[in-house]
Amino acid sequence: MGGQRRSRAVENKKFESAVDMAQALPRLFKPIATSPTLTGEEKDNLAQCEAAVETLKAAFWAAGKALHIIRDARLYRQTHKTFDAYCEDRWGWERAYADKLIRTWPIAEALVKKQAMAETTPIGVKKLNQAQVWELVPAADVWDVDAATFVYETVIEVNGEKVTAEILNGAVKALPSAGEFDKKAVKDRIVDYFAGIGKRSTTTRSTAKREQSSDPIAARAEKAVQEKWLRKLAAKDQESAAAYIDHVQRQLNVLRAELLQPELLPGQREEAGVS
């Protein structure tokens, strides 16, 4: 049996540009084999294609860093008198857009480095994009890059990995406008920000419920669940909130089984948590 190649094609070939990389991709638009396991050649092809896709994720970060070098080292001076002219002639960009890329790259690089070092606690930068990083720039301007990355990590810790530019914008606006960067104070502000979002959502839903129904049973059920307290708990400690919800659900399962389903089969009783 032929052995599979140990090295991947993408590891052995260097490309001068993204265009070279795209042109070098295998013209492979149907499977080579039918087995679930990839052949050595297919593994090489997958690695090469994934490396090309990876360049898209890091494009704004790499471009910003490169432009920073070109600007500060004046590497444009042989062909252009100003960096503004260089950006417009070479890339078709206004200077403002180039400056925006330059301001975002240090934050993106710091987050990616932290992700690489986080062996057991990933901070969720797989979907990081320029719009998200741009919302962290004000924190970096007031304090530093470490402060901006702390804000991003805290948002993920409090709200999960569903991070959007809009969420980051609100979190950054909730921070103190100046002064020494205090991690505890910043985290408290972010927790309060998400609690406020939850409160607004709860108010909207409560209003809709009142309009839809005046059922006394529904009203009693709403009082039984301390939603406001639970949302605050979830904002600070999602694990404890999940444990509380699981406990309540088990209690409800027991009551349902005892009061409404007395003839449950053994397997159904076990599922409901009734011995």
Side-chain angles (χ1 to χ4, degrees), residues 46-221:
L46 176 62
Q48 190 173 348
C49 290
E50 287 186 340
V53 176
E54 191 75 20
T55 62
L56 179 62
K57 289 170 52 181
F60 77 92
W61 162 29
K65 189 172 185 178
L67 286 167
H68 199 167
I69 295 168
I70 292 170
R71 185 193 68 183
D72 288 13
R74 299 188 67 246
L75 299 180
Y76 57 83
R77 67 184 184 276
Q78 182 170 311
T79 55
H80 296 82
K81 290 184 178 180
T82 65
F83 183 62
D84 301 58
Y86 167 78
C87 291
E88 185 174 348
D89 292 347
R90 182 68 176 87
W91 305 111
W93 296 338
E94 292 185 359
R95 168 69 182 267
Y97 180 67
D99 286 344
K100 186 173 183 178
L101 289 171
I102 290 171
R103 293 176 72 190
T104 56
W105 81 259
I107 302 170
E109 182 174 78
L111 285 170
V112 170
K113 285 183 176 179
K114 285 193 172 187
Q115 174 73 86
M117 293 187 295
E119 296 179 358
T120 57
T121 54
I123 59 172
V125 299
K126 290 183 179 180
K127 297 180 180 179
L128 190 69
N129 58 53
Q130 184 185 352
Q132 293 169 349
V133 178
W134 179 246
E135 298 299 342
L136 297 170
V137 168
D141 288 347
V142 173
W143 296 288
D144 54 24
V145 169
D146 287 340
T149 60
F150 179 81
V151 170
Y152 185 88
E153 293 169 358
T154 303
V155 167
I156 288 181
E157 179 184 345
V158 175
N159 195 52
E161 293 192 11
K162 293 182 179 179
V163 179
T164 65
E166 182 180 4
I167 285 175
L168 289 171
N169 177 275
V172 171
K173 285 183 177 178
L175 302 182
S177 59
E180 184 179 354
F181 189 79
D182 184 328
K183 288 186 176 181
K184 184 180 183 304
V186 166
K187 185 171 183 177
D188 288 343
R189 289 286 188 101
I190 293 174
V191 167
D192 290 343
Y193 162 66
F194 284 110
I197 292 177
K199 184 177 181 180
R200 289 193 294 274
S201 299
T202 301
T203 301
T204 301
R205 286 196 300 272
S206 297
T207 301
K209 287 177 182 178
R210 285 195 299 270
E211 291 175 352
Q212 291 174 0
S213 173
S214 58
D215 185 350
I217 298 298
R220 186 174 290 275

